[in-house]
Amino acid sequence: MPTFDRVSEVYDATRSLRPDVMEAVLDGLEQALGGTNTLLDVGVGTGRFADPLRRLGFEVVGVDLSRRMMAKAREKQIPDLILADAESLPLRSKSFEVAMIVHLLHLVDDWGRVVGELVRVASRYVVSVIEKVEGPRFRDLYIESGEELGQPAKKLRRGEEGLESLCKPSRSRVLVRYADETEADTEIDEYESRIYSATWDIPSTAHAKIVRRLRDEYGGKRIRRKHEFSLVMWTPRELQNLHPST
Ligand SMILES: C[S@@+](CC[C@H](N)C(=O)[O-])C[C@H]1O[C@@H](n2cnc3c(N)ncnc32)[C@H](O)[C@@H]1O
């Protein structure tokens, strides 16, 4: 199974948020989660959020399946890291006040089981930071093109955003909005070199065709987008309705 081990060296350089955007996101998290003692970051990765949250005083424990991603988190002095599958957390029920997921649900085999585990271990909230984008998203274009070529997407394609539309959270707040412009070729190059997970299961012939399609349509263009980051907070009870068995 492909894992994030393959991108641990480039993850922070390719997925970091703009500093002003990160600051606004962290301010929002700090305000909303103030008073929380224990926070579990499921799919902690390199500690993109766990590290600054720990510096803000939260007691953060991270869980991940990728040893190399967690090695990066360890370099950032995040002490409590557990190698485990989000579908079966080796943790006691209600052992954390808050369970956080960012960019996890689109990756897992059984997102329902993961949500069930979050509901089980969190006593107060399951939270996520969700980015919505207006404008072309190469991830969506890549997946749609793959589907047209007979490579169906198997997972919860929109991840946490998909969960938000399936189960409306009682607390949700826009943290920051901004617009930007990027070179399409730079992003298509990144897809071509398979640094994004959407590309990992796609056989090389289909991958080459998809990349060619992206270049035919967007090569040489500048892409304008509007971004909106929201903090979304579900109570375990809200999510439990999705999982009557938990
Ligand atoms: C896109 S990264 C996001 C990391 C971090 N949350 C962030 O926002 O930067 C997804 C992480 O989830 C981890 N992951 C994927 N499937 C998992 C699973 N079933 N259980 C635990 N971690 C998983 C990957 O190894 C990777 O580190």
Side-chain angles (χ1 to χ4, degrees):
M1 181 181 37
T3 80
F4 271 73
D5 281 357
R6 62 195 285 168
V7 289
S8 62
E9 292 300 329
V10 296
Y11 187 86
D12 283 349
T14 51
R15 272 71 158 190
S16 292
L17 300 182
R18 248 171 49 177
D20 57 325
V21 174
M22 190 58 164
E23 196 180 320
V25 169
L26 290 170
D27 281 353
L29 280 166
E30 192 179 16
Q31 276 174 31
L33 302 181
T36 299
N37 290 316
T38 51
L39 192 153
L40 181 70
D41 185 348
V42 183
V44 63
T46 60
R48 187 167 65 125
F49 288 99
D51 180 40
L53 286 171
R54 186 184 56 82
R55 289 169 196 271
L56 288 170
F58 291 95
E59 193 185 300
V60 186
V61 174
V63 172
D64 207 287
L65 267 185
S66 161
R67 285 179 196 276
R68 290 195 182 172
M69 291 289 276
M70 283 203 295
K72 294 287 170 193
R74 199 165 290 111
E75 282 170 16
K76 295 174 189 165
Q77 317 298 325
I78 299 171
D80 295 311
L81 296 167
I82 304 169
L83 183 71
D85 190 337
E87 291 183 22
S88 174
L89 293 170
L91 297 164
R92 284 197 312 276
S93 296
K94 305 298 170 207
S95 48
F96 287 83
E97 289 169 81
V98 171
M100 180 164 104
I101 44 168
V102 182
H103 291 176
L104 174 73
L105 289 186
H106 64 292
L107 300 167
V108 298
D109 290 329
D110 185 342
W111 65 267
R113 278 190 66 171
V114 173
V115 173
E117 282 296 81
L118 300 170
V119 165
R120 185 179 66 77
V121 299
S123 62
R124 288 180 61 210
Y125 289 110
V126 174
V127 307
S128 185
V129 175
I130 295 178
E131 179 186 9
K132 293 188 180 120
V133 177
E134 264 179 49
R137 293 180 92 155
F138 285 110
R139 178 172 183 276
D140 290 343
L141 295 166
Y142 184 99
I143 292 172
E144 280 156 20
S145 198
E147 284 177 336
E148 283 166 25
L149 293 169
Q151 303 291 328
K154 293 178 218 104
K155 302 182 178 170
L156 184 62
R157 183 168 137 189
R158 287 212 168 266
E160 289 83 19
E161 194 182 338
L163 182 62
E164 187 190 13
S165 45
L166 287 172
C167 179
K168 198 171 156 37
S170 52
R171 293 180 69 180
S172 163
R173 184 153 81 83
V174 175
L175 301 176
V176 57
R177 292 189 177 96
Y178 68 99
D180 65 4
E181 239 183 86
T182 58
E183 299 292 342
D185 288 309
T186 310
E187 292 188 36
I188 298 171
D189 288 349
E190 290 175 345
Y191 274 85
E192 185 164 27
S193 60
R194 295 193 189 249
I195 63 168
Y196 294 112
S197 60
T199 65
W200 295 347
D201 290 334
I202 305 296
S204 48
T205 317
H207 175 71
K209 277 189 194 160
I210 298 168
V211 171
R212 206 172 315 124
R213 283 184 176 194
L214 294 177
R215 289 212 191 277
D216 288 346
E217 192 168 354
Y218 292 98
K221 293 188 181 162
R222 286 184 72 76
I223 304 292
R224 286 194 192 87
R225 299 190 183 98
K226 287 182 181 167
H227 305 256
E228 180 184 279
F229 284 79
S230 301
L231 172 62
V232 171
M233 300 172 69
W234 295 271
T235 63
R237 186 184 286 267
E238 282 163 354
L239 286 173
Q240 202 158 14
N241 296 333
L242 275 176
H243 293 279
S245 59
T246 55

